[in-house]
């Protein structure tokens, strides 16, 4: 998080970098990672300096000093003291700034060149603020001699030029200011021309002063535009990133929508298949099972008859025992034959049901025997449901029982209307309403729910 914040800060997004630093600082609050806490404190302090929050600047600079002491990082302590010295300088507490800067140079026997130059420049600023220009001049000249980086020398030249300007040494000031004219930094060159404008104005050379001022303003305008262009580029990059993220989220939402829609469609398809199964295939399955059962009964009957023949042929000592066995076998045969008779009745009625569904026969043409077969089929399929309904709801008429029989066999409303030769569906609707009233159903309840309970054997 710390190094990520550093990269964001170098990219110019200080507010975002500050948030990352504070999150990292909060995460390490109770830890003993003093080195990292020192680095974080120093960067947070610099952020407060840039925002002109000098009290917070001093507070975090002190934290940086303390954490580096705890980390036993002497070089880190030295740099932290310089940061604290700069904080006091911004607060115009010059003595405290001088003391902190001096202490930063006393911690090491052999100080790095960058530490020495930074401290020396801060000394020069402090002496300049105090009006001790000779000391400040000597320090700045010494810095220029020691500075190994030619580009950074330009900043020292312009600082020295400002110092000579304050002292009224125009020629010396111009000498060092002119050295900054080839600076790659537009801001530095703008500052140099502004300084030359002030020097020319001090010499009453107003034409030259206006010329320098115009150049300074132009460079300042270009520098600002460059910053704006960089800000626009950053904004565009951020916009592209947010757009990409938004499109990614939208794609995820579309995928989720498709996924859930597929699940809903599968569930709907499954419900439709179950409905079709209940409506068209349940009775067929029952018939298939009846055929298998009938075949097993016939096989068992043949086996029992074979055993009876064997018993009659064998000469046993106990005739009574043989007679009892034959009697039991005959009883089993009678039971199986009765069961087979019921199954055959069910199979015979399946043809009748098909004819009723197709509209070839209407209910007025059905004989009493055919009605008995239909009622027997419904009772066999659904656990004597018609018997239960007749006993439980005595107010149900024979016509109601007939209508319920066809509805239980999953006849459609159109098929039932055709069977009873109704001109439209209103008669069937009235029949259903009367049935609901007679079995005590409420107006909002559906008759199909009641029929489903009947099929499931939940009506007792």
């Amino acid at each position: 998080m710390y190094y990520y914040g550093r990269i964001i800060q170098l990219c110019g997004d200080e507010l975002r970098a500050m948030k990352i630093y504070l999150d990292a600082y909060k995460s390490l609050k109770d830890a003993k990672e003093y080195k990292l806490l020192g680095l974080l404190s120093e960067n947070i302090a610099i952020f407060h300096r840039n925002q002109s929050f000098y009290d917070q600047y001093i507070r975090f600079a002190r934290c940086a000093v303390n954490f580096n002491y705890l980390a036993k990082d002497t070089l880190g302590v030295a740099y932290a003291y310089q940061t604290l010295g700069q904080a006091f300088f911004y607060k115009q507490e010059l003595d405290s700034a001088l003391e902190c800067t001096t202490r930063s140079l006393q911690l090491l026997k052999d100080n790095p060149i960058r530490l020495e130059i930074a401290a020396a420049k801060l000394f020069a600023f402090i002496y300049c603020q105090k009006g001790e220009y000779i000391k400040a001049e000597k320090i700045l000249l010494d810095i220029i001699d020691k500075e190994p980086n030619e580009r950074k020398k330009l900043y020292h030249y312009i600082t020295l030029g400002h110092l000579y300007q304050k002292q009224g040494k125009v020629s010396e000031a111009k000498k060092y200011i002119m050295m900054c004219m080839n600076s790659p930094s537009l801001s530095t060159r703008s500052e140099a021309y502004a300084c030359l404008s002030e020097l020319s104005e001090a010499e009453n050379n107003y034409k030259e002063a206006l010329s320098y001022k115009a150049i300074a303003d132009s460079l300042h305008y270009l520098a600002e535009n460059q910053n704006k262009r960089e800000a626009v580029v950053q904004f565009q990059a951020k916009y592209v990133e947010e757009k990409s993220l938004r499109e990614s989220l939208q794609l995820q939402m579309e995928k989720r929508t498709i996924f859930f829609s597929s699940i809903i469609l599968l569930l709907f398809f499954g419900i439709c298949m179950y409905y079709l199964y209940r409506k068209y295939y349940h009775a067929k399955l029952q018939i298939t099972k009846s055929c298998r059962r009938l075949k097993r009964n016939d096989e068992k009957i043949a086996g029992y008859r074979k055993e009876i023949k064997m018993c009659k042929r064998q000469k046993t000592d106990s005739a009574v025992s043989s007679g009892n066995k034959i009697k039991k076998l005959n009883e089993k045969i009678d039971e199986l034959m009765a069961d087979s008779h019921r199954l055959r009745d069910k199979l015979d009625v399946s043809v009748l049901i098909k004819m009723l569904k197709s509209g070839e026969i209407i209910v007025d043409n059905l004989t009493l025997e055919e009605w008995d077969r239909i009622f027997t089929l419904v009772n066999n399929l659904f656990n004597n449901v018609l018997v239960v309904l007749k006993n439980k709801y005595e107010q149900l008429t024979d016509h109601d029982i007939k209508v319920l029989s066809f509805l239980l066999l999953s006849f459609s409303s159109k098929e039932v209307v055709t069977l009873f030769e109704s001109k439209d569906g209103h008669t069937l609707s009235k029949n259903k309403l009367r049935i609901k009233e007679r079995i005590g159903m409420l107006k909002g309840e559906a008759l199909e729910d009641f029929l489903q309970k009947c099929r499931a054997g939940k009506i007792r």
Side-chain angles (χ1 to χ4, degrees), residues 30 59 76 104 109 145 155 157 159 161 237 247-248 299 310 347 368 389 398 418 424 426 434 456:
D30 299 324
R59 184 169 77 85
S104 73
K109 292 181 180 179
D145 289 337
Y155 298 111
Y157 291 150
T159 304
E247 289 175 351
S248 175
E299 290 174 353
M310 290 176 66
L347 291 173
L368 289 174
L389 289 174
D398 290 339
T418 303
D424 50 39
H426 294 298
R434 282 196 294 269

Side-chain angles (χ1 to χ4, degrees), residues 94-328:
L94 301 180
D95 291 336
S96 297
L98 194 62
E99 183 184 350
C100 289
T101 308
T102 304
R103 191 174 296 180
S104 73
L105 295 173
Q106 293 173 346
L107 294 167
L108 297 167
K109 292 181 180 179
D110 188 13
N111 290 311
I113 187 67
R114 293 257 59 90
L115 183 70
E116 285 188 2
I117 290 173
K121 196 161 188 179
L122 188 54
F123 281 136
F125 287 143
I126 293 168
Y127 289 133
C128 190
Q129 283 290 100
K130 286 185 171 185
E132 299 179 18
Y133 299 127
I134 304 299
K135 285 185 178 181
E137 178 188 355
K138 184 179 177 182
I139 292 169
L140 286 171
L141 288 170
D142 190 47
I143 289 172
I144 291 170
D145 289 337
K146 288 182 178 180
E147 179 61 69
N149 190 320
E150 290 298 325
R151 189 171 179 178
K152 288 184 178 179
K153 276 187 180 181
L154 299 174
Y155 298 111
H156 306 321
Y157 291 150
I158 202 162
T159 304
L160 190 57
H162 281 302
L163 178 63
Y164 283 133
Q165 183 186 1
K166 286 184 179 181
Q167 292 177 281
K169 298 178 180 180
V170 177
S171 59
E172 287 87 346
K174 281 187 176 182
K175 174 187 172 183
Y176 286 101
I177 292 297
M178 292 300 290
M179 291 180 181
C180 301
M181 291 300 145
N182 296 324
S183 172
S185 170
L186 293 173
S187 299
T188 303
R189 283 154 58 191
S190 173
E191 188 180 352
Y193 276 107
C195 186
L196 286 173
S197 175
E198 291 173 5
L199 290 170
S200 297
E201 187 179 352
E203 292 177 330
N204 298 323
N205 189 349
Y206 299 112
K207 185 177 180 180
E208 191 178 75
L210 284 171
S211 175
Y212 286 141
K213 184 69 169 66
I215 296 171
D217 290 343
S218 297
L219 290 169
H220 181 69
Y221 174 76
L222 289 172
E224 278 195 340
N225 278 350
Q226 187 178 14
N227 292 334
K228 287 177 182 176
R229 281 196 298 272
E230 289 175 358
V232 168
V233 169
Q234 288 179 5
F235 176 77
Q236 287 176 339
K238 190 174 182 181
Y239 171 76
V240 170
E241 183 183 353
E242 288 178 354
K243 183 181 178 183
S244 176
L245 180 62
R246 188 166 58 251
E247 289 175 351
S248 175
L249 290 172
Q250 188 175 356
L251 184 63
Q252 288 180 11
M253 289 297 294
E254 288 175 358
K255 285 182 179 178
R256 287 180 183 176
T257 304
I258 292 169
F259 174 72
F260 287 117
S261 300
S262 302
I263 290 176
I264 292 168
L265 285 172
L266 285 171
L267 287 172
F268 178 73
F269 179 74
I271 291 168
C272 290
M273 291 301 294
Y274 178 74
Y275 173 75
L276 291 171
Y277 165 77
R278 295 292 300 178
K279 186 172 183 180
Y280 297 108
Y281 300 112
H282 183 68
K284 186 177 180 181
L285 182 63
Q286 293 294 327
I287 290 169
T288 303
K289 288 181 178 178
S290 298
C291 289
R292 290 175 182 172
R293 188 170 162 190
L294 188 62
K295 186 177 180 181
R296 286 197 299 271
N297 287 351
D298 290 340
E299 290 174 353
K300 287 181 180 179
I301 289 170
Y304 292 151
R305 283 174 176 169
K306 190 175 181 180
E307 285 187 39
I308 290 171
K309 286 181 180 179
M310 290 176 66
C311 288
K312 287 179 178 179
R313 288 174 185 174
Q314 290 176 353
K315 295 179 179 180
T316 58
D317 296 334
S318 177
V320 177
S321 176
S322 179
N324 288 336
K325 186 176 180 181
I326 292 171
K327 184 179 178 182
K328 287 180 180 179

